[in-house]
Amino acid sequence: MNGYGGFEHALTPEYPTIVGPAWLEQGRVYVVANIRGGGEFGPEWHLAALRENRHRAYEDFAAVSRDLVARGVSTPDRIACHGRSNGGLLVGNMLTQNPDDFGAIVCGVPLLDMRRYTRLSAGASWIAEYGDPDDPADWEFVKTFSPYHLIEPGRRYPASLIYAAASDDRVGPVQARKMAARLADETDAEVHYLEPVEGGHAGTIDAAATAALHATIHAFLDSTVGRAG
């Protein structure tokens, strides 16, 4: 599953050139979830999941996962989700709030520590989307979708691959580093972390780096939700 759900960005139908040979040709299923917060159905679709209503985006994404199970398309342990940037925040919330609905999480160049996001790189420009964590009233709802703060020691979490780039000047790698470290230190979850030096917020700098990143992602997916049985 792939999703975004923010900033009025629309995920439109496409045939991803990497997903085809790496995933679909293996007889697997690829799902793009159009969830509130995005721009697929106009401005109101975006406005429906702003600030204190942010959970609507996450509820929508979890509902798509559960519908796949209800219709017999898959089972929770065979469903993975992948999101980048705001989509990384999305799947970070799937990891911490809906861990039983997924077998694996791929979290790219993510926002994860929502207590400090406004103090890093371009974060202050996103207050209209998420709220201001330095305002006590806003923090009351922002903390409910801050994955870093929602980790519970001892709770079971699905396997995760978290990746960032040292050169990212929009989100920066510190949030991904902290999340991976806390998961590894405080839980028994399988956690993998990848941080190339170059690539910026795009995650890769050239075709070779893109191929290496996606090879890593799909090797991880093969070893988790793609396993036989």
Side-chain angles (χ1 to χ4, degrees):
M1 288 180 59
N2 184 28
Y4 191 78
F7 297 93
E8 208 171 349
H9 175 65
L11 293 181
T12 53
E14 62 175 343
Y15 182 85
T17 55
I18 294 174
V19 171
W23 194 251
L24 297 178
E25 290 179 10
Q26 312 303 316
R28 298 163 182 165
V29 176
Y30 179 69
V31 176
V32 176
N34 293 151
I35 60 177
R36 284 174 289 184
E40 292 87 358
F41 302 103
E44 292 185 2
W45 190 248
H46 170 233
L47 295 173
L50 289 182
R51 293 171 49 85
E52 61 268 27
N53 295 318
R54 199 78 199 167
H55 281 282
R56 290 175 176 170
Y58 309 142
E59 291 163 0
D60 288 355
F61 196 79
V64 173
S65 174
R66 293 168 186 170
D67 184 62
L68 294 173
V69 175
R71 291 191 288 124
V73 175
S74 190
T75 56
D77 63 318
R78 302 297 294 277
I79 298 176
C81 60
H82 182 193
R84 300 179 70 263
S85 192
N86 174 74
L89 175 62
L90 165 68
V91 301
N93 275 287
M94 294 303 103
L95 173 70
T96 52
Q97 299 196 52
N98 301 97
D100 296 332
D101 289 318
F102 298 92
I105 308 286
V106 180
C107 183
V109 293
L111 284 163
L112 294 165
D113 177 359
M114 299 304 287
R115 184 69 182 89
R116 297 169 182 83
Y117 86 90
T118 56
R119 306 175 195 178
L120 300 170
S121 304
S125 65
W126 307 326
I127 288 175
E129 188 81 10
Y130 301 122
D132 184 355
D134 292 325
D135 179 331
D138 281 12
W139 175 239
E140 286 302 305
F141 61 78
V142 173
K143 68 182 180 182
T144 67
F145 56 83
S146 180
Y148 179 76
H149 294 92
L150 296 175
I151 295 171
E152 298 179 19
R155 189 177 187 185
R156 189 208 72 83
Y157 293 107
S160 60
L161 169 62
I162 302 173
Y163 66 90
S167 54
D168 189 343
D169 62 356
R170 288 191 61 76
V171 174
V174 64
Q175 299 214 5
R177 292 173 185 170
K178 289 172 59 176
M179 187 74 172
R182 190 171 184 200
L183 283 169
D185 289 346
E186 299 184 12
T187 78
D188 294 327
E190 176 186 341
V191 184
H192 303 269
Y193 183 71
L194 177 66
E195 186 184 309
V197 173
E198 298 179 308
H201 195 56
T204 55
I205 194 169
D206 55 26
T210 299
L213 173 62
H214 285 279
T216 301
I217 291 171
H218 285 92
F220 167 73
L221 294 175
D222 283 342
S223 71
T224 52
V225 296
R227 65 192 181 280

